Amino acid sequence: MIRDDDLGECTAHERALLVVRMAIQAFGCGDQAGNWLLKPNGLFDGVAPLAVARLSVEGCARVCRLLDDLAATDSSSHAA
């Protein structure tokens, strides 16, 4: 789980790399992860998750929490 204080010293580029890695892990496919990261998302007021993560530490933490939730949901569906 990523917390805001874990990201405090990260640059926009480092935050972008983090969410790309997390998205690939959550979706299991680079193409799906890329599509999700670049598509405007209602959960982020119509802004693409990658842009949200690059804009601020708080935004990156929001995207990371959502990706954690997606990954957990996916892994629990495989465990059933």
Side-chain angles (χ1 to χ4, degrees):
M1 175 72 109
I2 301 292
R3 297 183 326 254
D4 291 10
D5 52 337
D6 294 333
L7 301 168
E9 299 298 318
C10 291
T11 66
H13 180 72
E14 291 168 329
R15 293 191 302 269
L17 291 174
L18 172 65
V19 296
V20 168
R21 281 194 307 267
M22 290 182 72
I24 291 170
Q25 184 176 8
F27 288 96
C29 171
D31 287 341
Q32 288 178 344
N35 289 337
W36 184 84
L37 286 167
L38 296 174
K39 182 179 177 185
N41 190 310
L43 294 173
F44 304 116
D45 298 322
V47 178
L50 184 58
V52 171
R54 289 182 56 84
L55 285 171
S56 70
V57 168
E58 295 81 12
C60 185
R62 288 179 59 208
V63 174
C64 289
R65 282 191 295 272
L66 180 55
L67 286 167
D68 278 340
D69 291 346
L70 290 171
T73 300
D74 186 53
S75 64
S76 67
S77 68
H78 291 300

